[in-house]
């Protein structure tokens, strides 16, 4: 007999995908949020609910550089982390090169006299998403294909307008007027010149 276990995320993804497939087209990202919020709680990253912290720079202050660790990452099969018995403020790491053998010993990967509890990452303010101009030009082309040249009149597509206008402004400022350039004719040679 075969039993299928359905965990809550699978059930929620199934309900959301069923609701999305009922719609002919989703033109605005807010529609996705509306569908997902029917079945679960939506938490926006970068707000008070879910702040972003700079763990990378804080870890560089606390941990040794990876080249200075007592082991190499690639050949290791298992990593065992343990809280220090003498000092509850630090973490020990033991590595094993084999799945079946316990031959390693626990060592610190933090810098001398520095403990993991000293990590206090700073909150990072949300930053704008930077999209490559070629991707934006592709989106503009798709909007023109699906909604004709006057897609800008469609109120549901207002989310794309500022993004595409910024790229159009950049493109117009980067254009070089070729009419002002002086061109000289070169003499023709019968040989191929590179």
């Amino acid at each position: 007999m075969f039993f299928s276990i359905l965990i809550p995320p699978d059930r929620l993804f199934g309900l959301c995908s069923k609701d999305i497939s009922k719609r002919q087209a989703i033109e605005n990202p807010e529609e996705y949020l509306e569908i997902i919020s029917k079945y679960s709680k939506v938490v926006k990253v970068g707000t008070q609910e879910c702040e972003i912290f700079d763990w990378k720079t804080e870890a560089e202050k606390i941990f040794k550089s990876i080249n200075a660790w007592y082991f190499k990452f690639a050949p290791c099969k298992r990593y065992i982390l343990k809280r220090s018995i003498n000092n509850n403020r630090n973490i020990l790491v033991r590595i094993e090169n084999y799945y079946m053998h316990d031959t390693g010993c626990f060592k610190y990967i933090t810098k001398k006299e520095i403990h993991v509890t000293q990590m206090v990452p700073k909150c990072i303010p949300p930053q704008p998403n930077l999209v490559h101009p070629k991707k934006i030009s592709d989106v503009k082309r798709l909007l023109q294909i699906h909604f004709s040249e006057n897609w800008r009149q469609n109120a549901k597509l207002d989310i794309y307008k500022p993004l595409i206008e910024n790229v159009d402004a950049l493109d117009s400022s980067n254009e070089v007027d070729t009419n002002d350039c002086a061109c000289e004719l070169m003499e023709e040679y019968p040989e191929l010149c590179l």
Side-chain angles (χ1 to χ4, degrees):
M1 184 179 277
F2 177 73
F3 291 100
S4 174
I5 298 173
L6 192 63
I7 59 174
D10 290 339
R11 182 174 50 83
L12 294 176
F13 282 127
L15 291 169
C16 290
S17 64
K18 192 182 286 187
D19 204 349
I20 289 168
S21 65
K22 289 178 185 175
R23 299 177 186 230
Q24 186 174 2
I26 293 180
E27 298 163 347
N28 197 328
E30 296 299 322
E31 292 180 51
Y32 282 112
L33 290 175
E34 176 189 319
I35 292 168
I36 294 168
S37 64
K38 283 184 194 176
Y39 305 108
S40 64
K41 181 182 177 187
V42 176
V43 178
K44 293 188 178 183
V45 177
T47 62
Q48 286 292 94
E49 290 180 279
C50 183
E51 294 180 328
I52 303 170
F53 294 98
D54 189 7
W55 288 98
K56 183 179 178 182
T57 55
E58 197 64 27
E60 288 172 353
K61 296 177 192 171
I62 303 292
F63 297 108
K64 298 176 188 173
S65 69
I66 294 176
N67 297 334
W69 288 9
Y70 73 97
F71 61 90
K72 294 181 182 176
F73 257 86
C76 298
K77 305 292 186 214
R78 293 188 297 153
Y79 304 92
I80 299 105
L81 304 174
K82 163 178 129 172
R83 185 182 293 174
S84 175
I85 295 170
N86 302 341
N87 178 358
N88 284 339
R89 301 181 309 163
N90 225 341
I91 296 174
L92 295 163
V93 178
R94 185 179 91 198
I95 56 102
E96 298 296 339
N97 291 332
Y98 306 101
Y99 288 112
M100 303 299 287
H101 302 287
D102 292 337
T103 57
C105 61
F106 286 100
K107 294 187 181 179
Y108 293 108
I109 56 171
T110 56
K111 294 178 181 175
K112 279 190 174 185
E113 303 299 321
I114 297 178
H115 305 287
V116 175
T117 55
Q118 294 173 339
M119 289 182 87
V120 183
K122 294 177 182 162
C123 185
I124 303 173
Q127 298 176 356
N129 291 334
L130 301 175
V131 182
H132 197 278
K134 288 185 179 181
K135 288 187 180 182
I136 296 172
S137 63
D138 284 345
V139 169
K140 182 179 177 182
R141 185 178 55 80
L142 288 170
L143 287 169
Q144 290 171 349
I145 290 170
H146 290 286
F147 300 102
S148 76
E149 289 294 326
N150 53 358
W151 64 269
R152 292 177 193 268
Q153 280 73 34
N154 190 341
K156 291 182 178 179
L157 303 174
D158 285 345
I159 192 167
Y160 299 106
K161 289 178 187 175
L163 183 68
I164 291 175
E165 287 168 359
N166 288 344
V167 171
D168 288 344
L170 285 174
D171 288 344
S172 63
S173 66
N174 290 340
E175 289 179 4
V176 177
D177 190 13
T178 56
N179 295 334
D180 295 340
C181 297
C183 299
E184 296 178 10
L185 292 175
M186 295 183 67
E187 296 178 23
E188 291 187 24
Y189 295 104
E191 303 89 24
L192 175 65
C193 298
L194 298 176

